């Protein structure tokens, strides 16, 4: 039977300034991008297929950002 780890409480202090919020978002995005890249690199498939998958991910993110920008412009 697996041993259950004790619960850990963590206190997080989020940035209060706009600059701090942007920096946090930038860092989170960077870590997320690294994780996606590492996941793709570990896949058991040819390098060419990995490159195509990474290109598709990048294109999807670009389209998503473009869509969000257009949506926020409409709400102004």
């Amino acid at each position: 039977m697996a041993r259950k780890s004790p619960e850990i409480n963590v206190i997080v202090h989020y940035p209060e300034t706009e600059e701090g919020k942007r920096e946090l978002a930038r860092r989170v995005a960077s870590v997320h991008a690294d994780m996606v890249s590492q996941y793709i690199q570990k896949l058991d498939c040819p390098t060419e297929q990995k490159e195509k998958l990474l290109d598709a991910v990048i294109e999807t993110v670009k389209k998503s950002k473009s869509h969000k920008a257009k949506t926020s412009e409409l709400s102004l």
Side-chain angles (χ1 to χ4, degrees), residues 47-58:
T47 301
E48 183 178 310
Q49 192 174 0
K50 292 176 187 179
E51 290 172 352
K52 287 180 180 179
L53 178 57
L54 186 56
D55 288 343
V57 170
I58 292 169

Side-chain angles (χ1 to χ4, degrees), residues 3-44:
R3 207 169 74 169
K4 187 174 179 182
S5 298
E7 187 175 297
I8 298 175
N9 293 320
V10 177
I11 298 173
V12 178
H13 298 275
Y14 291 99
E16 294 180 9
T17 65
E18 288 303 314
E19 182 180 348
K21 291 175 185 177
R22 283 191 299 273
E23 178 63 17
L24 176 60
R26 187 192 65 75
R27 289 185 187 193
V28 168
S30 177
V31 169
H32 186 239
D34 286 343
M35 290 176 61
V36 169
S37 177
Q38 288 174 19
Y39 180 83
I40 290 173
Q41 290 305 316
K42 290 180 183 179
L43 292 174
D44 185 23

